[in-house]
Amino acid sequence: MLRESILEEMLSTYDKRFPPHYNDIIPVKVKVQMYVLSVFEIDASEMTFSISMFLRQEWVDRRLQFETKDNLSKIEVDNEITKEIWLPDLAFKSDTYTYFHELTRPNTLMIIYPNGKVVYSLRVTGKFTCYMDLTKFPFDEQHCPVELESYGFTNSIISFRWSQPAVVYREGVKHSQFELGEPQSYTCDQIYSTGNYSSIGVTLPFIRRYEFYLIQIYAPSVLIIMLSWVSFWLNVDAIPARISLGILTVLTISTNGNMSVSMAQRVSYIRAIDIWNSVCLILVFCAVVEYAYVCVSVRVHQRRKSDISSSDIEICNQHKEMKHELQSEKQSERSYDQLETVTARTVDKISRVLFPCVFFIFNCVYWLYYMT
């Protein structure tokens, strides 16, 4: 009965149409805090993220002061009574869709203290806009803002400020693809044609977990690159083996790159994973070109040798006296044949060292740049 009598007495003369201090110069100071329940649907394709939270507000309304009796330190107000009390017109600026939970009843809470302090909390789930920069994908870190402001009152009537801490994560809140960083709160009062409005914001850092990409994209790429180097150790005459190996590695690295592209939003700029895939494809392609160069060099020499041998036989039949000179030419030809084979093997030996060194240098530059 004590609570009922106090509420009836307060609300008998209370007018919710006007905010506290409406006729005073001092604005109503409203402290805001977000208690985040879950973070989900961080979508790079739509540039949005969704969170569910308890949105807490706290202010002082002197019209709700009451005397403490029988150790009554606070009054918890039902949702129906909440409708009879003035509430701040807090609005989200960057949301695309927001709804208030009403199962099984509207999820709201209000507590009134003897000095007129009002604590108001409601459960909100919303989808917010976040313009993401994927230049360093999958090593990117997104900073997504959530901004709130008064929609109908200027800062001479209502002043919003963050409680400290501004954002509190519920224990155990995690995301499958991102780590939740330390939020950074700020004030961002806005000036419109109708006046100056109190506005506050908080930046939520989302740090992408890249372990999945290391296992599914980077590690297979390294193995495929190393597999392409096997051709440098095969004999020059092993044409089917080297060609099959080259085609296999090119197709595999292309498939691996296409899979990585499908894992994120297609953008018009170059990402870290695009650089990796491009360099890996170039290295595998160069390994194929290297063998093509070696193979063509040997075959051109063999055709020349065949042509010279045929002409030598005709000359030998027509001119017996030139037999000694032809033998000298054949010896010279055999020396040239050996030289060509040695040259081809030398190219393979150089490639055995050159390709791993180039790939090692690229890895040093790549990982130092994107991981520091």
Side-chain angles (χ1 to χ4, degrees), residues 170-215:
R170 186 184 66 177
E171 185 178 357
V173 173
K174 294 181 180 179
H175 192 272
S176 60
Q177 298 183 27
F178 292 86
E179 293 182 3
L180 307 180
E182 186 67 24
Q184 300 293 330
S185 59
Y186 57 91
T187 57
C188 51
D189 294 349
Q190 297 291 323
I191 301 177
Y192 299 105
S193 58
T194 54
N196 300 341
Y197 291 80
S198 180
S199 179
I200 56 178
V202 62
T203 300
L204 303 178
F206 300 135
I207 306 169
R208 191 183 301 273
R209 301 175 185 269
Y210 53 81
E211 292 83 357
F212 170 80
Y213 300 93
L214 291 179
I215 297 173

Side-chain angles (χ1 to χ4, degrees), residues 32-39 51-56 162-174 180-185 202-204:
V32 183
Q33 185 182 65
M34 293 168 50
Y35 183 82
V36 178
L37 301 173
S38 61
V39 179
I51 57 176
S52 180
M53 60 182 162
F54 292 149
L55 184 61
R56 297 169 175 171
W162 286 112
S163 296
Q164 295 302 325
V167 177
V168 178
Y169 288 107
R170 186 184 66 177
E171 185 178 357
V173 173
K174 294 181 180 179
L180 307 180
E182 186 67 24
Q184 300 293 330
S185 59
V202 62
T203 300
L204 303 178

Side-chain angles (χ1 to χ4, degrees), residues 281-310:
L281 182 60
I282 291 173
L283 289 176
V284 172
F285 178 76
C286 288
V288 178
V289 172
E290 185 271 347
Y291 176 65
Y293 169 77
V294 171
C295 187
V296 169
S297 299
V298 173
R299 287 197 170 190
V300 168
H301 168 66
Q302 290 177 349
R303 285 198 298 268
R304 289 178 180 177
K305 177 183 177 182
S306 178
D307 294 340
I308 294 175
S309 298
S310 299

Side-chain angles (χ1 to χ4, degrees), residues 258-276:
N258 292 334
M259 184 178 66
S260 66
V261 171
S262 64
M263 291 181 179
Q265 171 66 9
R266 291 177 175 85
V267 293
S268 59
Y269 49 84
I270 299 175
R271 302 167 301 175
I273 201 167
D274 297 327
I275 296 176
W276 175 269

Side-chain angles (χ1 to χ4, degrees), residues 335-353:
S335 300
Y336 182 72
D337 182 30
Q338 295 176 354
L339 179 62
E340 285 294 321
T341 304
V342 171
T343 302
R345 292 176 179 175
T346 302
V347 173
D348 280 343
K349 289 180 180 180
I350 294 174
S351 299
R352 295 172 190 174
V353 178

